[in-house]
C-alpha cells in the first residue's frame, strides 16, 4: 500500500486534534464537508465524477447492481500489479448486475486516460480531482490500492478486500 497526497493536511489535523485535547474540550462536532469514513452496513456515500469519456457518473445510478470501488493511481506499483486481478474480475462478472468503478487518485488527467487506454482497462473509470466532496475524501482514503463493495441496495458491505477475498465477496453479493 502506498501513502499519497494530503500528508501535510493529515499532520495538521493531528496537531489540531492534540491542541483541542490539551485544552480539555471533549465535545466533538462535525463541520459541513468534513471527512467521515462510511460505515459497513450503512448507505454508501454518493458522489458524481467524470469518466474516461467525459460523461458524469453518479454512484447512486448503479442501484440494483453490485459495485466495486477500486481506488488506485497510475504511479502506484501495487495498484499496477492489481490490474490483472481487476481485468479477471471484470471479465468474470461483466454480464451480471455488476459494476467495476475504478477511481483515480492521479494528478494528471491526460496521463490517467492514456494509461487506461494503453492497458486495455475497458471498465468504468472516473478521475477524482481531489475536491472535498470527491470519493477520495468522502471515503477517507489514506492508502491505495483500496476497495469498497457496495451491494445492490447501495449499502457498503466490504472494505479493503483484495485477490480471492474480493472475488468471493462479489460472488456472494451477486446472489
Amino acid at each position: 500500500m502506498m501513502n499519497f497526497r494530503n500528508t501535510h493536511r493529515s499532520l495538521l489535523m493531528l496537531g489540531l486534534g492534540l491542541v483541542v485535547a490539551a485544552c480539555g474540550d471533549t465535545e466533538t462536532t462535525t463541520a459541513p464537508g468534513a471527512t467521515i469514513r462510511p460505515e459497513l452496513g450503512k448507505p454508501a456515500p454518493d458522489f458524481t465524477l467524470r469518466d474516461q469519456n467525459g460523461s458524469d457518473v453518479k454512484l447512486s445510478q448503479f442501484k440494483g447492481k453490485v459495485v466495486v470501488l477500486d481506488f488506485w493511481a497510475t504511479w502506484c506499483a501495487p495498484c499496477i500489479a492489481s490490474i490483472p486481478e481487476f481485468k479477471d474480475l471484470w471479465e468474470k462478472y461483466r454480464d451480471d448486475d455488476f459494476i467495476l468503478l475504478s477511481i483515480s487518485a492521479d494528478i494528471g488527467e491526460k496521463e490517467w486516460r492514456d494509461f487506461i487506454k494503453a492497458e486495455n482497462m475497458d471498465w468504468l473509470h472516473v478521475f477524482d480531482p481531489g475536491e472535498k466532496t470527491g470519493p477520495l475524501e468522502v471515503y477517507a482514503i489514506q492508502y491505495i490500492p483500496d476497495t469498497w463493495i457496495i451491494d445492490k441496495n447501495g449499502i457498503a458491505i466490504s472494505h479493503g478486500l483484495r485477490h480471492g477475498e474480493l472475488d468471493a465477496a462479489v460472488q456472494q453479493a451477486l446472489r
Side-chain angles (χ1 to χ4, degrees), residues 1 6 14 36 39 43 54 62-63 81 87 89-90 92 97 102 123 127-128 131 134 141 145 147:
M1 294 193 173
N6 298 332
L14 176 63
I36 301 174
E39 292 182 48
F62 301 117
K63 200 160 190 178
K87 284 184 176 181
L89 193 70
W90 179 238
K92 184 173 182 178
D97 289 331
S102 291
W123 57 90
F127 183 82
D128 187 335
E131 297 172 4
I141 302 301
T147 58

Side-chain angles (χ1 to χ4, degrees), residues 49-68:
L49 291 174
R50 294 209 186 263
D51 70 11
Q52 68 265 40
N53 301 312
S55 299
D56 282 346
V57 171
K58 189 170 185 164
L59 178 61
S60 60
Q61 80 186 57
F62 301 117
K63 200 160 190 178
K65 297 182 182 281
V66 172
V67 179
V68 170

